[in-house]
Amino acid sequence: MVSLHQFNPALFVRSLKAVVTFTILLFTVTLCYASFRSHSSFKDTINHAHASLKACSPEALNEITPTGFLCQIRSAQEKARSYGRVQSTSAAEAVVEYKRRYHRSPPKGFEDWVEFALSHGSKIIDNFDQIDRDLEPYRTPEARQAFSVLQSQSKHCPRTSRITIRNGTMAMSSAYLYDKEWKKLVEPFLHALPDSLFYLNDIDEPRILGTSAPPAVADFTDRSGESIEDLILESCAQGTPQPVSPQGKYKDVCQYPHPADLHALISSPSTFSYTHSLVPILSFGRMTAFRDILIPCPCYAAHPLVQEDSIAFSEKKPIVYWRGSTTGGQASRFTWKHGHRERFVAFVQSLQNTANMLDTGRFFGLKMDDLNKKRTRVLRDAFDVHFGAYIQCDAESCRDMERVLGPSDAEPEDTSSDYQFLYDIDGNSMSTRFFHLLSQQAVVLKQTWFQEWHDERLVPWAHYIPVSMTMEELPALITFLVNDPNGRRLSAEIAQAGSTWSRQVLREIDMSIYLYRLLLEIATLSD
């Protein structure tokens, strides 16, 4: 043991200073190198901005650099301008286009649906490929036979509501969480629906997974609170391999070898009851490994579109804002660190802590150029991210999360209107605040593995900005959007485009129009 009189304060201070300086320099080298690369790429982008689109190779679209971000946005904006430009203007035109797209005649009642959609000002008449893809697995002879067996039985699929349409009326086998909102969506066209049968998912999580030999009889297995990574990987293995696109890393769970490390639904779902049988279950969201049929979520009605944002984009704080609870899965002391929401908050805090350490380094003689000072300030100040509540966890896990991630800091929902950048991330399923956030004059940064009914209507990087589940691009992305002149200008364009377009194609009546067409198609499955 060292006695008190042997302690040398000067030596201790010098040693401590050396350790701290070495740590700071280690972070600085890494950060400066990344910053140098980004800075060089950005200067190159400015010098060649006029020809940037011509230089946007597939490789450039994958770059985590200002050039890569610029290419992504400009390419997406061009796609958004052309989307939905030419749509049918009459039932006759729509029938011709339907036959051209799908090589079959439209379902009974299609002409009435077209008139309904046109009378309600739908911007989209022909682009409903999502429905065709969703129902394709159910058009096989085996799936039709299984559906026929279901129709002849009164068997109820667990955690669903059995919906029967007869003579223009609807009967539900059990109470439904969004009963009022669901009936409001269906009411405008219910009288025009043919007789049919389907199942409405009663839980947040999707239900139908692929397997090599789907059973004819629908049996459900409960795996709540357990890892379902084995089921996800098995289901992914049954799918037809798709070409890897620049957007694949953002939404395709099947591109990740260990998805349970990244998303709480896979590591420890709060509720999970699944089947391998092709039961026509309608769900609000699904990952690419699932076969559920997508429908608009009535829950979006709880977070309606903003019809007019009273604060201009330029007057809002250039900060990324998020508040939410610890939904996503059932958190335990062994699983919560794999939760996608917990990982997001922890990652932001690590960026802020590192930036504070670098800023403190000036007291130890650390010198940075102006670019790195600016970059450090952004990573320190550009996030207002906190949990509003710790839920779906036992007492020990809740205390553990609060100790590591900080006390809860709930705020009113309209607080988001003060910020330029709004983060949106999955909960137990997809986030139900997306429409509300998108309709504001703000850039929505969306981190999700869930597919939804509206995916074809929105163009990533033009109407919102996707964030990968690993978040590896997030520091460079925020630096570009907040720091760089091109990033700030493009941010304003994305905010305007997302706000304007969402109010035109994500209305409540647009959800009814989509649901009307889907239910016409579902009725043909039993023909």
Side-chain angles (χ1 to χ4, degrees):
M1 179 180 294
V2 179
S3 62
L4 191 61
H5 72 274
Q6 292 176 302
F7 178 72
N8 187 328
L11 179 61
F12 174 78
V13 170
R14 287 197 299 272
S15 300
L16 179 62
K17 182 176 178 180
V19 171
V20 172
T21 302
F22 175 79
T23 304
I24 292 173
L25 287 174
L26 183 62
F27 276 104
T28 303
V29 169
T30 303
L31 188 63
C32 289
Y33 178 68
S35 179
F36 172 78
R37 292 188 62 189
S38 297
H39 183 50
S40 299
S41 298
F42 183 60
K43 289 193 296 184
D44 182 66
T45 300
I46 294 176
N47 293 336
H48 301 281
H50 190 69
S52 62
L53 276 180
K54 294 182 179 178
C56 286
S57 63
E59 291 76 17
L61 292 174
N62 282 315
E63 290 179 359
I64 303 178
T65 64
T67 299
F69 299 140
L70 180 67
C71 285
Q72 287 273 26
I73 294 170
R74 285 306 186 203
S75 176
Q77 288 176 328
E78 183 62 31
K79 180 180 179 181
R81 280 190 288 269
S82 62
Y83 180 80
R85 184 177 294 169
V86 179
Q87 296 288 303
S88 297
T89 58
S90 68
E93 290 181 4
V95 168
V96 172
E97 177 61 16
Y98 185 102
K99 292 179 178 179
R100 185 193 70 80
R101 282 174 179 254
Y102 309 122
H103 309 290
R104 62 175 184 270
S105 296
K108 180 182 178 182
F110 179 78
E111 291 87 347
D112 291 337
W113 172 85
V114 175
E115 296 298 338
F116 178 84
L118 290 171
S119 68
H120 286 92
S122 177
K123 295 287 185 181
I124 311 299
I125 301 296
D126 302 315
N127 295 9
F128 285 81
D129 295 348
Q130 182 69 59
I131 292 177
D132 192 63
R133 287 194 298 270
D134 284 358
L135 296 185
E136 182 180 3
Y138 297 87
R139 300 189 190 280
T140 65
E142 295 79 10
R144 289 179 182 269
Q145 178 61 31
F147 193 18
S148 178
V149 172
L150 274 175
Q151 286 182 303
S152 65
Q153 299 175 344
S154 58
K155 182 179 179 180
H156 176 63
C157 298
R159 312 301 294 267
T160 70
S161 292
R162 179 180 170 120
I163 310 294
T164 306
I165 307 293
R166 291 288 183 271
N167 301 318
T169 62
M170 180 175 64
M172 303 179 68
S173 65
S174 59
Y176 180 56
L177 178 61
Y178 302 108
D179 184 71
K180 181 180 178 181
E181 293 82 2
W182 165 260
K183 290 178 178 177
K184 187 178 179 182
L185 288 180
V186 175
E187 191 274 334
F189 58 84
L190 179 59
H191 65 280
L193 291 179
D195 293 352
S196 59
L197 167 72
F198 54 90
Y199 294 84
L200 198 57
N201 190 5
D202 273 350
I203 61 177
D204 294 332
E205 296 82 359
R207 311 296 298 279
I208 307 171
L209 286 160
T211 187
S212 56
V217 178
D219 290 320
F220 287 78
T221 303
D222 192 282
R223 289 276 292 268
S224 301
E226 304 175 26
S227 173
I228 61 168
E229 186 173 79
D230 58 324
L231 299 173
I232 295 294
L233 296 178
E234 178 191 8
S235 185
C236 287
Q238 308 308 316
T240 303
Q242 298 293 326
V244 177
S245 70
Q247 305 303 329
K249 66 179 179 180
Y250 297 105
K251 298 203 71 167
D252 188 0
V253 64
C254 292
Q255 292 194 27
Y256 293 81
H258 304 291
D261 293 342
L262 301 175
H263 205 288
L265 170 65
I266 303 174
S267 63
S268 180
S270 180
T271 54
F272 194 71
S273 172
Y274 76 97
T275 181
H276 288 302
S277 182
L278 288 172
V279 182
I281 296 179
L282 278 53
S283 296
F284 308 138
R286 63 152 193 253
M287 294 182 181
T288 49
F290 290 83
R291 307 293 184 263
D292 302 49
I293 299 169
L294 294 174
I295 60 167
C297 182
C299 50
Y300 276 120
H303 307 278
L305 296 170
V306 175
Q307 295 305 318
E308 185 176 355
D309 196 331
S310 59
I311 307 176
F313 179 80
S314 59
E315 297 173 1
K316 299 186 178 188
K317 302 173 186 177
I319 291 174
V320 179
Y321 179 83
W322 182 82
R323 287 295 186 281
S325 57
T326 52
T327 59
Q330 187 61 40
S332 72
R333 57 184 295 219
F334 303 107
T335 63
W336 72 259
K337 292 181 181 178
H338 296 302
H340 45 285
R341 289 189 167 195
E342 290 86 346
R343 289 177 49 255
F344 166 57
V345 173
F347 184 59
V348 168
Q349 290 181 356
S350 70
L351 292 176
Q352 293 172 323
N353 292 337
T354 301
N356 282 327
M357 182 182 293
L358 290 169
D359 188 51
T360 307
R362 69 181 185 273
F363 296 114
F364 296 91
L366 179 66
K367 296 181 180 180
M368 290 190 292
D369 59 32
D370 291 339
L371 177 64
N372 285 314
K373 287 180 181 178
K374 196 172 183 181
R375 180 185 177 94
T376 301
R377 284 196 298 270
V378 166
L379 297 180
R380 183 191 64 198
D381 301 332
F383 293 93
D384 188 344
V385 169
H386 300 278
F387 277 118
Y390 290 94
I391 62 174
Q392 291 182 194
C393 47
D394 57 54
E396 181 184 9
S397 300
C398 284
R399 286 194 301 269
D400 195 25
M401 286 191 286
E402 189 167 14
R403 177 181 59 81
V404 175
L405 301 174
S408 58
D409 181 21
E411 293 185 332
E413 186 176 44
D414 60 3
T415 305
S416 63
S417 62
D418 296 329
Y419 297 85
Q420 288 186 351
F421 303 96
L422 305 178
Y423 210 85
D424 194 45
I425 186 171
D426 291 340
N428 291 334
S429 182
M430 79 291 173
S431 165
T432 61
R433 289 181 287 187
F434 184 42
F435 290 7
H436 179 76
L437 299 179
L438 194 63
S439 61
Q440 299 182 44
Q441 285 285 336
V443 176
V444 176
L445 299 156
K446 187 161 182 65
Q447 184 181 0
T448 182
W449 268 353
F450 279 90
Q451 299 171 311
E452 294 187 66
W453 72 277
H454 58 252
D455 285 353
E456 288 186 326
R457 302 177 174 225
L458 302 176
V459 181
W461 295 98
H463 298 129
Y464 68 92
I465 295 182
V467 178
S468 70
M469 203 56 66
T470 63
M471 299 175 286
E472 60 186 309
E473 76 282 16
L474 189 58
L477 175 62
I478 298 305
T479 301
F480 172 69
L481 297 175
V482 174
N483 255 2
D484 293 338
N486 273 7
R488 292 195 293 270
R489 177 171 52 81
L490 291 170
S491 293
E493 293 178 11
I494 294 170
Q496 180 62 48
S499 176
T500 301
W501 187 240
S502 64
R503 295 172 192 172
Q504 295 177 9
V505 300
L506 301 179
R507 305 167 299 164
E508 192 170 294
I509 192 63
D510 291 312
M511 292 192 281
S512 290
I513 290 168
Y514 187 95
L515 195 55
Y516 184 178
R517 177 156 171 172
L518 171 64
L519 296 183
L520 289 180
E521 296 280 6
I522 285 180
T524 68
L525 298 180
S526 59
D527 289 348

PDB file of all heavy atoms in Angstrom, residues 172-197:
ATOM      1  N   MET A 172     -68.568  -9.247 -36.874  1.00  0.00           N
ATOM      2  CA  MET A 172     -67.254  -9.503 -36.289  1.00  0.00           C
ATOM      3  C   MET A 172     -67.409 -10.508 -35.157  1.00  0.00           C
ATOM      4  O   MET A 172     -68.337 -10.414 -34.347  1.00  0.00           O
ATOM      5  CB  MET A 172     -66.639  -8.199 -35.773  1.00  0.00           C
ATOM      6  CG  MET A 172     -66.516  -7.122 -36.841  1.00  0.00           C
ATOM      7  SD  MET A 172     -65.822  -5.550 -36.236  1.00  0.00           S
ATOM      8  CE  MET A 172     -64.139  -6.031 -35.879  1.00  0.00           C
ATOM      9  N   SER A 173     -66.480 -11.458 -35.076  1.00  0.00           N
ATOM     10  CA  SER A 173     -66.594 -12.537 -34.101  1.00  0.00           C
ATOM     11  C   SER A 173     -66.245 -12.105 -32.688  1.00  0.00           C
ATOM     12  O   SER A 173     -66.602 -12.768 -31.724  1.00  0.00           O
ATOM     13  CB  SER A 173     -65.685 -13.701 -34.506  1.00  0.00           C
ATOM     14  OG  SER A 173     -64.320 -13.297 -34.457  1.00  0.00           O
ATOM     15  N   SER A 174     -65.543 -10.991 -32.544  1.00  0.00           N
ATOM     16  CA  SER A 174     -65.130 -10.541 -31.213  1.00  0.00           C
ATOM     17  C   SER A 174     -64.900  -9.039 -31.231  1.00  0.00           C
ATOM     18  O   SER A 174     -64.830  -8.415 -32.292  1.00  0.00           O
ATOM     19  CB  SER A 174     -63.860 -11.270 -30.776  1.00  0.00           C
ATOM     20  OG  SER A 174     -62.801 -11.029 -31.686  1.00  0.00           O
ATOM     21  N   ALA A 175     -64.802  -8.475 -30.043  1.00  0.00           N
ATOM     22  CA  ALA A 175     -64.533  -7.044 -29.933  1.00  0.00           C
ATOM     23  C   ALA A 175     -63.156  -6.723 -30.519  1.00  0.00           C
ATOM     24  O   ALA A 175     -62.245  -7.551 -30.500  1.00  0.00           O
ATOM     25  CB  ALA A 175     -64.601  -6.619 -28.475  1.00  0.00           C
ATOM     26  N   TYR A 176     -63.017  -5.520 -31.004  1.00  0.00           N
ATOM     27  CA  TYR A 176     -61.793  -5.122 -31.687  1.00  0.00           C
ATOM     28  C   TYR A 176     -61.310  -3.805 -31.094  1.00  0.00           C
ATOM     29  O   TYR A 176     -62.100  -2.895 -30.829  1.00  0.00           O
ATOM     30  CB  TYR A 176     -62.060  -4.995 -33.185  1.00  0.00           C
ATOM     31  CG  TYR A 176     -60.873  -4.583 -34.010  1.00  0.00           C
ATOM     32  CD1 TYR A 176     -59.693  -5.319 -33.979  1.00  0.00           C
ATOM     33  CD2 TYR A 176     -60.915  -3.453 -34.816  1.00  0.00           C
ATOM     34  CE1 TYR A 176     -58.599  -4.945 -34.724  1.00  0.00           C
ATOM     35  CE2 TYR A 176     -59.832  -3.073 -35.580  1.00  0.00           C
ATOM     36  CZ  TYR A 176     -58.670  -3.816 -35.529  1.00  0.00           C
ATOM     37  OH  TYR A 176     -57.582  -3.441 -36.266  1.00  0.00           O
ATOM     38  N   LEU A 177     -59.997  -3.692 -30.867  1.00  0.00           N
ATOM     39  CA  LEU A 177     -59.432  -2.536 -30.193  1.00  0.00           C
ATOM     40  C   LEU A 177     -59.788  -1.220 -30.892  1.00  0.00           C
ATOM     41  O   LEU A 177     -60.127  -0.235 -30.247  1.00  0.00           O
ATOM     42  CB  LEU A 177     -57.904  -2.684 -30.112  1.00  0.00           C
ATOM     43  CG  LEU A 177     -57.132  -1.530 -29.474  1.00  0.00           C
ATOM     44  CD1 LEU A 177     -57.570  -1.320 -28.031  1.00  0.00           C
ATOM     45  CD2 LEU A 177     -55.627  -1.778 -29.547  1.00  0.00           C
ATOM     46  N   TYR A 178     -59.718  -1.231 -32.231  1.00  0.00           N
ATOM     47  CA  TYR A 178     -60.015  -0.020 -32.999  1.00  0.00           C
ATOM     48  C   TYR A 178     -61.371  -0.139 -33.686  1.00  0.00           C
ATOM     49  O   TYR A 178     -61.529   0.255 -34.848  1.00  0.00           O
ATOM     50  CB  TYR A 178     -58.911   0.223 -34.034  1.00  0.00           C
ATOM     51  CG  TYR A 178     -57.538   0.369 -33.436  1.00  0.00           C
ATOM     52  CD1 TYR A 178     -56.585  -0.638 -33.596  1.00  0.00           C
ATOM     53  CD2 TYR A 178     -57.183   1.493 -32.701  1.00  0.00           C
ATOM     54  CE1 TYR A 178     -55.317  -0.512 -33.045  1.00  0.00           C
ATOM     55  CE2 TYR A 178     -55.929   1.625 -32.155  1.00  0.00           C
ATOM     56  CZ  TYR A 178     -54.990   0.616 -32.327  1.00  0.00           C
ATOM     57  OH  TYR A 178     -53.742   0.752 -31.790  1.00  0.00           O
ATOM     58  N   ASP A 179     -62.328  -0.679 -32.971  1.00  0.00           N
ATOM     59  CA  ASP A 179     -63.634  -0.977 -33.555  1.00  0.00           C
ATOM     60  C   ASP A 179     -64.284   0.263 -34.184  1.00  0.00           C
ATOM     61  O   ASP A 179     -64.755   0.216 -35.318  1.00  0.00           O
ATOM     62  CB  ASP A 179     -64.544  -1.573 -32.481  1.00  0.00           C
ATOM     63  CG  ASP A 179     -65.894  -1.993 -33.044  1.00  0.00           C
ATOM     64  OD1 ASP A 179     -65.932  -2.993 -33.783  1.00  0.00           O
ATOM     65  OD2 ASP A 179     -66.900  -1.310 -32.751  1.00  0.00           O
ATOM     66  N   LYS A 180     -64.301   1.353 -33.455  1.00  0.00           N
ATOM     67  CA  LYS A 180     -64.940   2.579 -33.942  1.00  0.00           C
ATOM     68  C   LYS A 180     -64.261   3.093 -35.202  1.00  0.00           C
ATOM     69  O   LYS A 180     -64.924   3.432 -36.202  1.00  0.00           O
ATOM     70  CB  LYS A 180     -64.916   3.644 -32.851  1.00  0.00           C
ATOM     71  CG  LYS A 180     -65.567   4.953 -33.242  1.00  0.00           C
ATOM     72  CD  LYS A 180     -65.498   5.958 -32.100  1.00  0.00           C
ATOM     73  CE  LYS A 180     -66.095   7.299 -32.498  1.00  0.00           C
ATOM     74  NZ  LYS A 180     -66.004   8.293 -31.383  1.00  0.00           N
ATOM     75  N   GLU A 181     -62.926   3.153 -35.177  1.00  0.00           N
ATOM     76  CA  GLU A 181     -62.177   3.669 -36.330  1.00  0.00           C
ATOM     77  C   GLU A 181     -62.282   2.718 -37.531  1.00  0.00           C
ATOM     78  O   GLU A 181     -62.373   3.172 -38.683  1.00  0.00           O
ATOM     79  CB  GLU A 181     -60.712   3.868 -35.955  1.00  0.00           C
ATOM     80  CG  GLU A 181     -60.461   4.958 -34.935  1.00  0.00           C
ATOM     81  CD  GLU A 181     -60.682   4.503 -33.497  1.00  0.00           C
ATOM     82  OE1 GLU A 181     -61.009   3.309 -33.296  1.00  0.00           O
ATOM     83  OE2 GLU A 181     -60.528   5.336 -32.587  1.00  0.00           O
ATOM     84  N   TRP A 182     -62.268   1.410 -37.277  1.00  0.00           N
ATOM     85  CA  TRP A 182     -62.401   0.424 -38.348  1.00  0.00           C
ATOM     86  C   TRP A 182     -63.731   0.575 -39.068  1.00  0.00           C
ATOM     87  O   TRP A 182     -63.783   0.617 -40.299  1.00  0.00           O
ATOM     88  CB  TRP A 182     -62.239  -0.983 -37.772  1.00  0.00           C
ATOM     89  CG  TRP A 182     -62.698  -2.092 -38.677  1.00  0.00           C
ATOM     90  CD1 TRP A 182     -63.875  -2.764 -38.615  1.00  0.00           C
ATOM     91  CD2 TRP A 182     -62.004  -2.625 -39.814  1.00  0.00           C
ATOM     92  NE1 TRP A 182     -63.965  -3.689 -39.624  1.00  0.00           N
ATOM     93  CE2 TRP A 182     -62.827  -3.627 -40.372  1.00  0.00           C
ATOM     94  CE3 TRP A 182     -60.769  -2.362 -40.401  1.00  0.00           C
ATOM     95  CZ2 TRP A 182     -62.451  -4.358 -41.491  1.00  0.00           C
ATOM     96  CZ3 TRP A 182     -60.390  -3.105 -41.517  1.00  0.00           C
ATOM     97  CH2 TRP A 182     -61.218  -4.082 -42.052  1.00  0.00           C
ATOM     98  N   LYS A 183     -64.801   0.665 -38.312  1.00  0.00           N
ATOM     99  CA  LYS A 183     -66.124   0.800 -38.919  1.00  0.00           C
ATOM    100  C   LYS A 183     -66.253   2.112 -39.689  1.00  0.00           C
ATOM    101  O   LYS A 183     -66.937   2.172 -40.718  1.00  0.00           O
ATOM    102  CB  LYS A 183     -67.204   0.689 -37.845  1.00  0.00           C
ATOM    103  CG  LYS A 183     -67.338  -0.722 -37.271  1.00  0.00           C
ATOM    104  CD  LYS A 183     -68.383  -0.795 -36.177  1.00  0.00           C
ATOM    105  CE  LYS A 183     -68.517  -2.224 -35.662  1.00  0.00           C
ATOM    106  NZ  LYS A 183     -69.481  -2.330 -34.526  1.00  0.00           N
ATOM    107  N   LYS A 184     -65.594   3.135 -39.217  1.00  0.00           N
ATOM    108  CA  LYS A 184     -65.624   4.413 -39.930  1.00  0.00           C
ATOM    109  C   LYS A 184     -64.936   4.313 -41.283  1.00  0.00           C
ATOM    110  O   LYS A 184     -65.388   4.919 -42.272  1.00  0.00           O
ATOM    111  CB  LYS A 184     -64.960   5.496 -39.082  1.00  0.00           C
ATOM    112  CG  LYS A 184     -65.083   6.902 -39.665  1.00  0.00           C
ATOM    113  CD  LYS A 184     -64.458   7.930 -38.748  1.00  0.00           C
ATOM    114  CE  LYS A 184     -64.566   9.329 -39.347  1.00  0.00           C
ATOM    115  NZ  LYS A 184     -63.906  10.346 -38.475  1.00  0.00           N
ATOM    116  N   LEU A 185     -63.847   3.539 -41.353  1.00  0.00           N
ATOM    117  CA  LEU A 185     -63.159   3.356 -42.631  1.00  0.00           C
ATOM    118  C   LEU A 185     -63.995   2.545 -43.618  1.00  0.00           C
ATOM    119  O   LEU A 185     -63.981   2.813 -44.825  1.00  0.00           O
ATOM    120  CB  LEU A 185     -61.811   2.653 -42.405  1.00  0.00           C
ATOM    121  CG  LEU A 185     -60.686   3.445 -41.750  1.00  0.00           C
ATOM    122  CD1 LEU A 185     -59.447   2.576 -41.621  1.00  0.00           C
ATOM    123  CD2 LEU A 185     -60.364   4.712 -42.536  1.00  0.00           C
ATOM    124  N   VAL A 186     -64.720   1.545 -43.113  1.00  0.00           N
ATOM    125  CA  VAL A 186     -65.463   0.619 -43.972  1.00  0.00           C
ATOM    126  C   VAL A 186     -66.841   1.154 -44.371  1.00  0.00           C
ATOM    127  O   VAL A 186     -67.352   0.845 -45.455  1.00  0.00           O
ATOM    128  CB  VAL A 186     -65.606  -0.750 -43.260  1.00  0.00           C
ATOM    129  CG1 VAL A 186     -66.482  -1.697 -44.062  1.00  0.00           C
ATOM    130  CG2 VAL A 186     -64.229  -1.373 -43.032  1.00  0.00           C
ATOM    131  N   GLU A 187     -67.418   1.959 -43.527  1.00  0.00           N
ATOM    132  CA  GLU A 187     -68.800   2.386 -43.718  1.00  0.00           C
ATOM    133  C   GLU A 187     -69.099   3.003 -45.092  1.00  0.00           C
ATOM    134  O   GLU A 187     -70.154   2.717 -45.680  1.00  0.00           O
ATOM    135  CB  GLU A 187     -69.175   3.376 -42.605  1.00  0.00           C
ATOM    136  CG  GLU A 187     -70.642   3.714 -42.522  1.00  0.00           C
ATOM    137  CD  GLU A 187     -71.037   4.864 -43.446  1.00  0.00           C
ATOM    138  OE1 GLU A 187     -70.157   5.690 -43.766  1.00  0.00           O
ATOM    139  OE2 GLU A 187     -72.216   4.908 -43.855  1.00  0.00           O
ATOM    140  N   PRO A 188     -68.224   3.823 -45.680  1.00  0.00           N
ATOM    141  CA  PRO A 188     -68.563   4.453 -46.963  1.00  0.00           C
ATOM    142  C   PRO A 188     -68.805   3.493 -48.123  1.00  0.00           C
ATOM    143  O   PRO A 188     -69.453   3.859 -49.094  1.00  0.00           O
ATOM    144  CB  PRO A 188     -67.344   5.350 -47.243  1.00  0.00           C
ATOM    145  CG  PRO A 188     -66.736   5.604 -45.914  1.00  0.00           C
ATOM    146  CD  PRO A 188     -66.941   4.339 -45.148  1.00  0.00           C
ATOM    147  N   PHE A 189     -68.275   2.248 -48.043  1.00  0.00           N
ATOM    148  CA  PHE A 189     -68.397   1.326 -49.181  1.00  0.00           C
ATOM    149  C   PHE A 189     -68.916  -0.053 -48.789  1.00  0.00           C
ATOM    150  O   PHE A 189     -69.000  -0.943 -49.633  1.00  0.00           O
ATOM    151  CB  PHE A 189     -67.036   1.161 -49.872  1.00  0.00           C
ATOM    152  CG  PHE A 189     -65.947   0.646 -48.969  1.00  0.00           C
ATOM    153  CD1 PHE A 189     -65.793  -0.716 -48.745  1.00  0.00           C
ATOM    154  CD2 PHE A 189     -65.069   1.518 -48.327  1.00  0.00           C
ATOM    155  CE1 PHE A 189     -64.793  -1.199 -47.915  1.00  0.00           C
ATOM    156  CE2 PHE A 189     -64.066   1.039 -47.485  1.00  0.00           C
ATOM    157  CZ  PHE A 189     -63.933  -0.319 -47.291  1.00  0.00           C
ATOM    158  N   LEU A 190     -69.259  -0.249 -47.533  1.00  0.00           N
ATOM    159  CA  LEU A 190     -69.663  -1.571 -47.060  1.00  0.00           C
ATOM    160  C   LEU A 190     -70.807  -2.158 -47.880  1.00  0.00           C
ATOM    161  O   LEU A 190     -70.816  -3.359 -48.201  1.00  0.00           O
ATOM    162  CB  LEU A 190     -70.063  -1.495 -45.585  1.00  0.00           C
ATOM    163  CG  LEU A 190     -70.529  -2.795 -44.921  1.00  0.00           C
ATOM    164  CD1 LEU A 190     -69.432  -3.862 -44.996  1.00  0.00           C
ATOM    165  CD2 LEU A 190     -70.934  -2.541 -43.479  1.00  0.00           C
ATOM    166  N   HIS A 191     -71.760  -1.325 -48.266  1.00  0.00           N
ATOM    167  CA  HIS A 191     -72.929  -1.793 -49.023  1.00  0.00           C
ATOM    168  C   HIS A 191     -72.554  -2.373 -50.380  1.00  0.00           C
ATOM    169  O   HIS A 191     -73.315  -3.165 -50.957  1.00  0.00           O
ATOM    170  CB  HIS A 191     -73.906  -0.625 -49.236  1.00  0.00           C
ATOM    171  CG  HIS A 191     -73.329   0.466 -50.097  1.00  0.00           C
ATOM    172  ND1 HIS A 191     -72.451   1.422 -49.611  1.00  0.00           N
ATOM    173  CD2 HIS A 191     -73.486   0.741 -51.426  1.00  0.00           C
ATOM    174  CE1 HIS A 191     -72.102   2.239 -50.595  1.00  0.00           C
ATOM    175  NE2 HIS A 191     -72.716   1.856 -51.703  1.00  0.00           N
ATOM    176  N   ALA A 192     -71.381  -1.996 -50.908  1.00  0.00           N
ATOM    177  CA  ALA A 192     -70.986  -2.416 -52.252  1.00  0.00           C
ATOM    178  C   ALA A 192     -70.096  -3.654 -52.253  1.00  0.00           C
ATOM    179  O   ALA A 192     -69.720  -4.136 -53.329  1.00  0.00           O
ATOM    180  CB  ALA A 192     -70.249  -1.270 -52.947  1.00  0.00           C
ATOM    181  N   LEU A 193     -69.771  -4.208 -51.085  1.00  0.00           N
ATOM    182  CA  LEU A 193     -68.849  -5.341 -51.026  1.00  0.00           C
ATOM    183  C   LEU A 193     -69.555  -6.663 -51.315  1.00  0.00           C
ATOM    184  O   LEU A 193     -70.671  -6.896 -50.839  1.00  0.00           O
ATOM    185  CB  LEU A 193     -68.197  -5.424 -49.644  1.00  0.00           C
ATOM    186  CG  LEU A 193     -67.208  -4.325 -49.262  1.00  0.00           C
ATOM    187  CD1 LEU A 193     -66.682  -4.560 -47.851  1.00  0.00           C
ATOM    188  CD2 LEU A 193     -66.048  -4.245 -50.259  1.00  0.00           C
ATOM    189  N   PRO A 194     -68.910  -7.546 -52.065  1.00  0.00           N
ATOM    190  CA  PRO A 194     -69.444  -8.905 -52.240  1.00  0.00           C
ATOM    191  C   PRO A 194     -69.254  -9.704 -50.951  1.00  0.00           C
ATOM    192  O   PRO A 194     -68.471  -9.321 -50.077  1.00  0.00           O
ATOM    193  CB  PRO A 194     -68.606  -9.472 -53.382  1.00  0.00           C
ATOM    194  CG  PRO A 194     -67.318  -8.718 -53.315  1.00  0.00           C
ATOM    195  CD  PRO A 194     -67.655  -7.335 -52.820  1.00  0.00           C
ATOM    196  N   ASP A 195     -69.942 -10.813 -50.825  1.00  0.00           N
ATOM    197  CA  ASP A 195     -69.793 -11.668 -49.649  1.00  0.00           C
ATOM    198  C   ASP A 195     -68.362 -12.177 -49.561  1.00  0.00           C
ATOM    199  O   ASP A 195     -67.770 -12.597 -50.567  1.00  0.00           O
ATOM    200  CB  ASP A 195     -70.756 -12.852 -49.730  1.00  0.00           C
ATOM    201  CG  ASP A 195     -72.215 -12.421 -49.627  1.00  0.00           C
ATOM    202  OD1 ASP A 195     -72.453 -11.227 -49.352  1.00  0.00           O
ATOM    203  OD2 ASP A 195     -73.097 -13.267 -49.840  1.00  0.00           O
ATOM    204  N   SER A 196     -67.808 -12.181 -48.357  1.00  0.00           N
ATOM    205  CA  SER A 196     -66.415 -12.623 -48.192  1.00  0.00           C
ATOM    206  C   SER A 196     -66.133 -12.912 -46.719  1.00  0.00           C
ATOM    207  O   SER A 196     -66.946 -12.620 -45.836  1.00  0.00           O
ATOM    208  CB  SER A 196     -65.429 -11.567 -48.713  1.00  0.00           C
ATOM    209  OG  SER A 196     -65.602 -10.330 -48.026  1.00  0.00           O
ATOM    210  N   LEU A 197     -64.941 -13.477 -46.482  1.00  0.00           N
ATOM    211  CA  LEU A 197     -64.494 -13.822 -45.145  1.00  0.00           C
ATOM    212  C   LEU A 197     -63.003 -13.527 -45.034  1.00  0.00           C
ATOM    213  O   LEU A 197     -62.230 -13.817 -45.948  1.00  0.00           O
ATOM    214  CB  LEU A 197     -64.742 -15.310 -44.864  1.00  0.00           C
ATOM    215  CG  LEU A 197     -64.053 -15.913 -43.633  1.00  0.00           C
ATOM    216  CD1 LEU A 197     -64.710 -15.408 -42.359  1.00  0.00           C
ATOM    217  CD2 LEU A 197     -64.088 -17.434 -43.690  1.00  0.00           C
TER     218      LEU A 197
END
